[in-house]
Amino acid sequence: RKEVEQDPGPFNVPEGATVAFNCTYSNSASQSFFWYRQDCRKEPKLLMSVYSSGNEDGRFTAQLNRASQYISLLIRDSKLSDSATYLCVSRGAGGGNKLTFGTGTQLKVEL
Amino acid sequence: NAGVTQTPKFRILKIGQSMTLQCTQDMNHNYMYWYRQDPGMGLKLIYYSVGAGITDKGEVPNGYNVSRSTTEDFPLRLELAAPSQTSVYFCASSRGEATEAFFGQGTRLTVV
């Protein structure tokens, strides 16, 4: 089983739609979690950290459920510029606190 | 405002050649990482370092070597390049535990 699993998509949605991505992680010792965004042929960039209490940044909301080892990202009022691959990331305990990446979920927002 | 800088951006190597991918960061981060990303795949950790003089293997270290003589620099060495090493290589750094990682723009390597 992969340490971080995501639905690869692609998710094709119309502009203005709400879309949700899910992610599960297998290492219960994982300490922190992030959503990164990666545009085609570019480096990953942090979208937001994920906190147990849930957190919101504008149109983006992230949730963490430690009991179910589940992370989600909700994007409201999708824009064309949201088209990208969204990477779910966990940071483990020890071993350099390395980041483990999911394979990413591709989002395409269409007119 | 440079952040993480990787050079070169592109490189074509012949089988059996060697090269060093350079990575430097100006944020005084202790943690540095090398990842590779194959088409349609997630990032896989090659090597990482928690500080100058300390390095350790990640998930896919075979065929690579690293060194960390300074806080700023974390070069990745490919010895005897093979077609399986064709990939995009990303260097990243982070301040410490539970903090985000910042990535360089990547090096696209093709081995022919």
Side-chain angles (χ1 to χ4, degrees):
Chain A
R1 182 184 173 188
K2 291 181 184 175
E3 198 164 331
V4 177
E5 293 205 61
Q6 297 181 249
D7 182 340
F11 284 59
N12 298 322
V13 303
E15 202 173 16
T18 295
V19 61
F21 303 142
N22 301 319
C23 169
T24 58
Y25 62 96
S26 60
N27 185 355
S28 59
S30 295
Q31 305 238 309
S32 51
F33 305 90
F34 308 89
W35 283 102
Y36 276 72
R37 170 189 170 134
Q38 186 174 26
D39 293 294
C40 188
R41 301 175 75 82
K42 299 284 190 181
E43 74 274 23
K45 292 185 178 179
L46 180 70
L47 178 66
M48 59 197 303
S49 301
V50 187
Y51 304 116
S52 296
S53 55
N55 50 300
E56 187 174 308
D57 183 2
R59 297 182 294 108
F60 299 85
T61 300
Q63 296 276 357
L64 167 63
N65 184 324
R66 285 193 181 272
S68 302
Q69 297 184 197
Y70 171 95
I71 303 157
S72 66
L73 176 68
L74 184 75
I75 304 176
R76 291 180 298 279
D77 188 24
S78 300
K79 311 290 185 191
L80 293 175
S81 57
D82 293 334
S83 297
T85 297
Y86 291 83
L87 304 170
C88 177
V89 185
S90 72
R91 184 184 280 280
N97 300 105
K98 62 183 176 67
L99 295 172
T100 300
F101 287 78
T103 52
T105 298
Q106 188 178 8
L107 172 65
K108 296 180 181 178
V109 181
E110 302 164 333
L111 285 171
Chain B
N1 220 21
V4 180
T5 302
Q6 289 183 237
T7 56
K9 288 188 169 52
F10 304 93
R11 183 71 186 268
I12 298 174
L13 275 184
K14 292 185 178 178
I15 294 172
Q17 286 185 320
S18 301
M19 76 164 294
T20 298
L21 281 65
Q22 302 291 345
C23 176
T24 188
Q25 52 93 6
D26 62 0
M27 296 174 282
N28 201 32
H29 286 171
N30 286 324
Y31 292 73
M32 295 189 75
Y33 311 85
W34 274 105
Y35 287 88
R36 62 175 285 173
Q37 186 176 35
D38 299 322
M41 304 292 286
L43 283 83
K44 295 189 176 179
L45 183 65
I46 305 171
Y47 270 95
Y48 65 96
S49 169
V50 301
I54 306 169
T55 63
D56 209 345
K57 295 178 181 179
E59 190 182 353
V60 289
N62 291 345
Y64 307 94
N65 277 299
V66 293
S67 59
R68 184 95 182 271
S69 56
T70 66
T71 299
E72 294 79 19
D73 300 308
F74 190 41
L76 178 72
R77 177 85 178 158
L78 278 72
E79 305 283 2
L80 299 175
S84 61
Q85 293 178 305
T86 294
S87 190
V88 180
Y89 291 84
F90 289 105
C91 178
S93 73
S94 65
R95 180 166 45 84
E97 299 178 10
T99 57
E100 67 177 288
F102 295 86
F103 283 80
Q105 292 183 314
T107 296
R108 294 187 178 278
L109 176 67
T110 302
V111 182
V112 296

